[in-house]
């Protein structure tokens, strides 16, 4: 292992990449930091809308952020106030986020797919002073935000009442061509910039407090490979939701800060529309969740109809990707580097990522790459709580300037997540190899404990979707009196498939140890997931418990 990857004395792993320099000015907002580095590309496209073709140059982006910042101050928003952003992806979403944090206010984002009860919990917890949304979601949010001012991103009419302002009107009223953003020198890098609610795939979500420093450090570290590999201006598609840390920070903020173009993609994912956007905007980087790669493999003939020569990287994230799945993608897109990374909301979206320049186009490691600069890690033995050397499985711990400040209004959960030495306890199971590559196995809470053995649902899910007649799958534990827990699967078959439950069980049994064999298979039309592709296992567990209780 490279000397700068693992320190035997401290049992700590670090990045093999060149060190980065982070800004030392304590009074620096992430908005000011972004525009410090984009003056040389002021007249190039910063944001574009894949569907409408509307766009903003970096100069226009700064003018719009400036105008909205002034309007927010006129609406009474001050440093430390929370503003709720509830909207689908658009080029206006980043404008709002950058304007909010520029004046020292705090942005909290929410999924347009949230139910009333989920929205109610977040609003009650974060107590926003203002809501920014779209007309389609107005009725959903109206009853929960009585008395709060609202801004509509998409409707300039006055039909929604006096407390509702139009985004277009606010930009027009405060517009000035000097792009003078009202810099608040009281804003500190240590101030909270965003409260992003963790996915809550197994339990109730918590508000993750990310500071200006967290986003600045992530932006610098997240673009380091492009810089050190000598790449010019790149183009990224963002159909990952901007309300999620991967869309907001990993793609949008990080790439804008580097001077790259971000193509906003709203609505549900569509393979044809995505490739059309790649062709139209000469996209170089495509970040996807595992279900997208599965769909690409199952519908590989779609690629033929599009000019995709601009595409250089297909990047997987949000959940572990199997080596075989990635290898199939390299066959479909032989000119593209297929890589993956690992991140979490609590680490500001990015922990490790593969550097394509260190491998070949056809070499797939199955790892999530090496740590980004400034982040260090330990692998902890679950029984002894002692740090482990390479190639030994344990819990992933992290430390560095990208790690969250804590959970909002939840000091108890914060204390459990971050120890006295500043190590964040991730709850993820993994290991480093001798090259410093991180392999993430699964969430510890989601491991199935069968006859004393640990079964990773992700391993079985990857095996299931490799079957030519299976489009998607989810695996959960089911209680068993004899062995503790057994793995059971929920499977989505391809249209016109005749595969049976018994066929699936035999397919898996031939390739795994006896304790990993599926004890039960249930067919579903769709696996419940977040927009990022993470499986909502708690929904599958609830469904399984309800159905087994009837047997």
């Amino acid at each position: 292992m490279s000397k700068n990857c693992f320190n035997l004395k401290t049992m700590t792993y670090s990045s093999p990449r060149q060190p980065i320099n982070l800004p030392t000015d304590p009074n620096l907002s992430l908005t000011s930091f972004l525009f410090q580095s984009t003056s040389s590309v002021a007249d190039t496209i910063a944001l574009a809308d894949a569907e409408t073709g509307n766009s903003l140059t970096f100069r226009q982006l700064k003018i719009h952020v400036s105008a909205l910042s002034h309007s927010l101050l006129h609406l009474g928003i001050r440093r430390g106030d929370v503003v709720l952003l509830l909207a689908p992806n658009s080029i206006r979403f980043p404008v709002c986020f950058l304007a909010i944090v520029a004046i020292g206010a705090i942005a909290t984002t929410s999924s347009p797919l949230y139910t009333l009860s989920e929205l109610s919990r977040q609003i009650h917890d974060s107590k926003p002073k203002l809501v920014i949304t779209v007309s389609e979601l107005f009725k959903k949010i109206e009853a929960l935000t009585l008395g709060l001012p609202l801004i509509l991103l998409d409707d300039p009419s006055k039909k929604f009442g006096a407390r509702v302002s139009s985004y277009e009107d606010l930009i027009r009223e405060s517009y000035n061509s000097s792009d003078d953003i009202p810099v608040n020198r009281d804003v500190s890098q240590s101030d909270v910039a965003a409260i992003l609610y963790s996915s809550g795939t197994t339990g109730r979500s918590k508000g993750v407090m990310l500071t200006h420093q967290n986003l600045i450090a992530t932006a610098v570290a997240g673009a380091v490979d492009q810089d050190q590999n000598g790449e010019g201006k790149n183009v990224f598609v963002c159909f990952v939701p901007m309300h999620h840390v991967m869309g907001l920070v990993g793609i949008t903020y990080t790439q804008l800060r580097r001077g790259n173009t971000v193509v906003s993609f709203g609505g549900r994912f569509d393979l044809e529309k995505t490739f059309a956007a790649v062709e139209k905007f000469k996209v170089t980087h495509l970040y996807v969740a595992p279900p997208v790669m599965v769909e690409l493999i199952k519908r590989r003939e779609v690629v033929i109809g599009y000019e995709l020569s601009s595409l250089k990287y297909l990047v997987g994230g949000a959940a572990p990707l199997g080596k075989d799945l990635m290898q199939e993608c390299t066959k479909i897109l032989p000119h593209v580097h297929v890589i993956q990374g690992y991140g979490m909301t609590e680490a500001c979206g990015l922990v490790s990522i593969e550097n394509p320049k260190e491998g070949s186009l056809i070499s797939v490691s199955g790892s999530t790459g090496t740590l980004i600069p400034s982040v260090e890690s330990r692998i902890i033995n679950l029984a002894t709580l002692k740090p482990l050397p390479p190639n030994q499985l344990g819990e992933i711990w992290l430390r560095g300037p990208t790690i969250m400040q804590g959970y909002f209004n939840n000091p108890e959960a914060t204390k459990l997540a971050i120890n006295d030495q500043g190590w964040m306890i991730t709850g993820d199971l993994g290991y480093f190899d001798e090259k410093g590559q991180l392999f993430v196995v699964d969430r510890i809470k989601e491991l199935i404990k069968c006859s004393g053995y640990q079964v990773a649902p992700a391993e079985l899910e990857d095996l299931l979707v490799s079957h030519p007649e299976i489009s998607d799958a989810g695996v959960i534990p089911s209680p068993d009196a004899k062995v503790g827990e057994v793995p059971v699967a929920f499977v989505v078959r391809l249209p016109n498939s005749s595969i049976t439950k018994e066929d699936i069980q035999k397919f898996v049994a031939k390739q795994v140890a006896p304790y990993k064999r599926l004890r039960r298979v249930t067919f579903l039309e769709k696996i419940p997931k977040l927009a990022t592709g993470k499986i909502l296992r708690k929904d599958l567990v609830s469904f399984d418990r309800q159905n087994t209780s009837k047997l």
Side-chain angles (χ1 to χ4, degrees), residues 378-429:
R378 280 181 176 171
I379 302 296
I380 301 297
N381 184 301
L382 293 174
T384 66
L385 297 183
K386 300 293 185 183
L388 295 169
N391 297 307
Q392 293 197 35
L393 195 64
E395 185 172 23
I396 302 167
W397 286 15
L398 302 168
R399 188 166 63 181
T402 64
I403 303 304
M404 68 171 180
Q405 192 178 86
Y407 292 115
F408 185 64
N409 282 339
N410 202 332
E412 296 83 8
T414 300
K415 193 172 182 179
L416 291 173
I418 302 175
N419 69 17
D420 294 339
Q421 289 77 46
W423 289 103
M424 186 181 73
I425 302 161
T426 68
D428 287 331
L429 192 69

Side-chain angles (χ1 to χ4, degrees), residues 193-500:
I195 301 173
L196 305 183
Y197 282 75
S198 60
S199 53
T201 53
T202 55
R204 182 165 290 190
S205 61
K206 297 181 286 291
V208 175
M209 294 187 292
L210 299 177
T211 65
H212 288 260
Q213 181 193 43
N214 292 154
L215 272 81
I216 289 170
T218 300
V220 177
V224 73
D225 288 346
Q226 296 178 66
D227 295 337
Q228 294 179 3
N229 293 337
E231 297 180 28
K233 184 180 174 75
N234 285 313
V235 181
F236 286 68
V237 165
C238 187
F239 64 79
V240 177
M242 288 180 178
H243 66 75
H244 184 268
V245 70
M246 183 178 175
L248 182 65
V249 184
I251 300 175
T252 305
Y253 180 71
T254 296
Q255 304 314 324
L256 287 178
R257 186 262 161 191
R258 188 180 181 268
N260 291 331
T261 297
V262 176
V263 180
S264 168
F265 207 105
R268 292 191 176 278
F269 172 78
D270 180 280
L271 199 59
E272 285 86 352
K273 287 183 178 179
T274 299
F275 285 152
V278 171
E279 181 178 272
K280 178 179 178 181
F281 294 96
K282 307 299 181 190
V283 171
T284 58
H285 292 66
L286 192 57
Y287 279 62
V288 300
V292 175
M293 287 194 175
V294 173
E295 184 175 350
L296 174 60
I297 292 168
K298 306 293 183 182
R299 301 180 60 213
R300 61 185 69 202
E301 71 282 354
V302 173
V303 172
I304 299 170
Y306 297 92
E307 168 53 54
L308 304 175
S309 60
S310 65
L311 192 61
K312 296 188 289 187
Y313 303 107
L314 182 66
V315 188
L321 282 167
K323 189 174 180 179
D324 292 343
L325 186 66
M326 296 176 70
Q327 197 76 57
E328 281 299 308
C329 288
T330 63
K331 295 176 183 177
I332 298 167
L333 298 167
H335 69 289
V336 175
H337 288 284
V338 180
I339 62 176
Q340 68 172 323
Y342 163 60
M344 55 197 308
T345 307
E346 288 86 346
C348 207
L350 188 60
V351 173
S352 66
I353 193 166
E354 292 182 278
N355 184 351
K357 297 301 181 184
E358 294 179 352
S360 67
L361 280 171
I362 59 172
S363 175
V364 174
S365 71
S367 80
T368 64
T370 53
L371 294 169
I372 61 171
S374 78
V375 171
E376 53 185 352
S377 178
R378 280 181 176 171
I379 302 296
I380 301 297
N381 184 301
L382 293 174
T384 66
L385 297 183
K386 300 293 185 183
L388 295 169
N391 297 307
Q392 293 197 35
L393 195 64
E395 185 172 23
I396 302 167
W397 286 15
L398 302 168
R399 188 166 63 181
T402 64
I403 303 304
M404 68 171 180
Q405 192 178 86
Y407 292 115
F408 185 64
N409 282 339
N410 202 332
E412 296 83 8
T414 300
K415 193 172 182 179
L416 291 173
I418 302 175
N419 69 17
D420 294 339
Q421 289 77 46
W423 289 103
M424 186 181 73
I425 302 161
T426 68
D428 287 331
L429 192 69
Y431 66 94
F432 285 90
D433 67 8
E434 59 283 343
K435 296 179 181 179
Q437 297 181 115
L438 176 60
F439 292 78
V440 181
V441 176
D442 215 331
R443 292 286 296 165
I444 292 172
K445 287 182 179 179
E446 294 177 0
L447 290 176
I448 302 165
K449 299 170 180 65
C450 180
S451 296
Y453 295 100
Q454 292 182 331
V455 182
E459 178 188 354
L460 293 176
E461 288 159 0
D462 183 52
L463 179 59
L464 286 165
V465 297
S466 72
H467 192 285
E469 293 187 54
I470 296 175
S471 66
D472 206 356
V475 175
I476 60 165
S478 187
D480 184 271
K482 291 184 179 180
V483 298
E485 295 176 333
V486 294
V488 300
F490 293 85
V491 171
V492 179
R493 292 178 289 190
L494 284 173
N496 304 318
S497 170
S498 60
I499 193 172
T500 66

